[in-house]
Amino acid sequence: MKRILITGALGQIGSELTLKLREIYGADQVIATDIKKNDSEAVVGGPFETVDVMDVNKLMEIAKKYKIDTIMHLAALLSATAEANPIFAWKLNMGGLMNALETARELKAQFFTPSSIGAFGPSTPKIHTPQDTIMRPTTMYGVNKVAGELLADYYYYKFGVDTRGIRFPGLISNVALPGGGTTDYAVEIYYEAVKNGKYTSYIAEGTYMDMMYMPDALRAIIDLMEADATKLKHRNSFNVTAMSIAPEDIAASIAKLVPRFELNYKVDPARQRIADSWPDSIDASAASEEWGFEYEYDLDKMTKDMIEKLRERL
């Protein structure tokens, strides 16, 4: 990777990935784009362009302007938000992906886009979900992610685009605020613990979902993109995870650092249905074997870092 363009650079992953890539490859080598701009470090710390991924001509123009050789396509509508507006979700998630892939094909650029555990569905094995398994999601977001994996595969086999992707679990960040995902409670709970000492979860007790701390997610993206292409068998759909946890597990971890932390429940049926359709735990052995995936943060180590960082900021 030498000249990297990021779409959705102000989103949950993009806002941190942009800074990490600039740290590694140089600020001028990483071009951040989003549909709007703000005064964040991702905007002011290096090249930034306002781009709507639905506009393929503008996307192509910016990619050619900067002589891009790598595209990180992150612009998307997340699970809960997509379920509330499924038609727009299809247009943005699939139309934007097609435009980004066409740009990569035109420029012969390496390409990354994230998939998700949302690609799985109720008929998928829920415990140690295999890398290769049945995928029949019941949400628009999940449908988009399965279709996106297949479309990226197609561009590799049909056009030779070096496409790569990861099925992320819920991502927990001390920087980016939640963006409409089903696993967002696992971010909100830390903010509320620091600010108020209590949290009301919209996900029910005993609901296990895979999670990962953002520093591990960023390293996974970079490691995959730098991996030897000849060793990749799956390319656009690697399972990764660091922990399988329920709300009460996070609460117990927080309580070690925030005495008398209180967790309550007010279940949101829509988001609970989505959570219930996803795996309880997934098998990430293919990622480990094909490109050396590993994680650093378990639940308690993540909690300690989250609480320390949020206390400094809040």
Side-chain angles (χ1 to χ4, degrees), residues 250-283:
I250 304 178
S253 185
I254 290 174
K256 297 174 185 178
L257 301 172
V258 183
R260 296 181 296 279
F261 174 71
E262 180 183 322
L263 176 64
N264 300 299
Y265 296 92
K266 185 179 180 181
V267 176
D268 174 1
R271 285 187 280 194
Q272 186 65 41
R273 277 194 298 272
I274 296 173
D276 289 340
S277 74
W278 291 354
D280 290 354
S281 62
I282 63 176
D283 175 10

Side-chain angles (χ1 to χ4, degrees), residues 7 35 50-62 91-92 95-96 98-100 103:
T7 70
I35 197 168
T50 303
V51 176
D52 182 349
V53 294
M54 300 293 286
D55 184 348
V56 69
N57 293 326
K58 179 69 171 179
L59 186 59
M60 196 84 72
E61 173 193 326
I62 296 302
K91 291 178 180 178
L92 173 61
M98 178 68 85
N99 291 342
T103 304

Side-chain angles (χ1 to χ4, degrees), residues 67-268:
K67 298 180 173 61
I68 294 303
D69 66 21
T70 306
I71 295 175
M72 304 275 197
H73 178 60
L74 307 178
L77 216 59
L78 299 183
S79 57
T81 310
E83 205 58 18
N85 197 345
I87 306 304
F88 177 66
W90 176 268
K91 291 178 180 178
L92 173 61
N93 292 350
M94 298 311 302
L97 175 59
M98 178 68 85
N99 291 342
L101 281 165
E102 274 296 294
T103 304
R105 180 165 77 98
E106 177 78 15
L107 274 67
K108 297 180 171 56
Q110 192 181 18
F111 186 87
F112 173 86
T113 195
S115 187
S116 163
I117 58 172
F120 300 123
S123 54
T124 301
K126 291 185 74 67
I127 307 299
H128 301 305
T129 303
Q131 173 67 46
D132 300 307
T133 187
I134 187 169
M135 301 170 71
R136 304 289 293 179
T138 53
T139 66
M140 178 54 77
Y141 179 72
V143 170
N144 294 163
K145 288 305 181 184
V146 173
E149 290 182 13
L150 295 173
L151 189 60
D153 281 345
Y154 179 81
Y155 267 74
Y156 169 66
Y157 291 114
K158 179 72 173 179
F159 303 119
V161 179
D162 184 2
T163 55
R164 307 185 185 195
I166 289 171
R167 285 185 194 133
F168 277 124
L171 297 180
I172 299 174
S173 168
N174 63 63
V175 176
L177 293 171
T182 300
T183 57
D184 283 351
Y185 87 87
V187 180
E188 294 171 356
I189 191 172
Y190 287 103
Y191 279 83
E192 292 302 312
V194 171
K195 290 193 291 186
N196 301 312
K198 60 183 178 180
Y199 177 67
T200 300
S201 173
Y202 56 78
I203 294 296
E205 183 178 7
T207 304
Y208 281 85
M209 288 185 281
D210 285 83
M211 302 282 180
M212 177 180 285
Y213 198 29
M214 189 64 79
D216 283 332
L218 302 182
R219 188 170 68 253
I221 293 171
I222 295 166
D223 287 351
L224 173 58
M225 294 301 282
E226 295 286 8
D228 182 350
T230 64
K231 297 182 178 179
L232 302 181
K233 300 175 183 176
H234 292 90
R235 285 196 161 265
N236 297 298
S237 58
F238 285 103
N239 286 354
V240 298
T241 186
M243 61 196 88
S244 175
I245 49 178
E248 63 269 25
D249 297 322
I250 304 178
S253 185
I254 290 174
K256 297 174 185 178
L257 301 172
V258 183
R260 296 181 296 279
F261 174 71
E262 180 183 322
L263 176 64
N264 300 299
Y265 296 92
K266 185 179 180 181
V267 176
D268 174 1

Side-chain angles (χ1 to χ4, degrees), residues 31-36 47-51 58 62 65-66:
I31 293 79
T33 75
D34 210 303
I35 197 168
K36 60 185 184 306
F48 180 88
E49 298 279 354
T50 303
V51 176
K58 179 69 171 179
I62 296 302
K65 172 183 174 181
Y66 289 95

Side-chain angles (χ1 to χ4, degrees), residues 3-21:
R3 299 282 285 178
I4 306 164
L5 182 142
I6 304 174
T7 70
L10 303 184
Q12 184 187 27
I13 298 175
S15 56
E16 294 188 59
L17 181 62
T18 299
L19 305 189
K20 188 67 175 177
L21 291 173

